Amino acid sequence: MNTNKPAVPNTTVTRNVHDLDRTTDNLYESLVVIAKRANQISNNVKEELHGKLAEFASSNDNLEEIFENREQIEISKHYERMPKPVLVAMDEFLNDKIYHRNPAKEQK
């Protein structure tokens, strides 16, 4: 686990709408790019979390063991504290870390 403080804010940040359309010249196209990247990030984090929590799964757990597994709780808390995927995607987009293209624009 990466224990460094993320550069991405954990809360909602007010953005200037004009910053979003500077690379695509279209606000809605920018939002689609950000949304698709956020879905990719979300899926990756979900797979990673399920992989880590699968280590704790067993077929004969009793109720006490489920509630007392501190390591599993710490892993879950770590993922809850992570910035939301849309905030990460927005930061990547504004810092030109996302490669995107529009084939419809390229044909013209």
Side-chain angles (χ1 to χ4, degrees), residues 9 11 13 22-23 27 42 56 63 67 84 92 100 108:
T11 59
V13 176
R22 68 184 160 125
T23 57
L27 175 64
S42 177
F56 299 102
L63 195 58
F67 289 111
K84 303 297 179 224
E92 289 178 357
H100 60 90
K108 292 181 181 181

Side-chain angles (χ1 to χ4, degrees), residues 43-92:
N43 289 336
N44 290 342
V45 169
K46 185 177 179 180
E47 287 177 15
E48 183 180 322
L49 176 61
H50 284 300
K52 288 183 179 182
L53 293 180
E55 297 172 7
F56 299 102
S58 70
S59 60
N60 58 358
D61 279 346
N62 62 23
L63 195 58
E64 290 82 25
E65 288 178 2
I66 292 172
F67 289 111
E68 293 178 4
N69 194 338
R70 293 283 175 214
E71 194 173 340
Q72 184 177 3
I73 292 170
E74 288 302 316
I75 290 172
S76 296
K77 284 183 179 181
H78 169 75
Y79 279 91
E80 288 174 4
R81 286 189 297 261
M82 289 175 64
K84 303 297 179 224
V86 72
L87 293 174
V88 175
M90 179 79 70
D91 183 67
E92 289 178 357

Side-chain angles (χ1 to χ4, degrees), residues 29 100-108:
E29 185 177 343
H100 60 90
R101 64 185 187 91
N102 186 342
K105 283 184 177 179
E106 294 174 2
Q107 291 176 355
K108 292 181 181 181

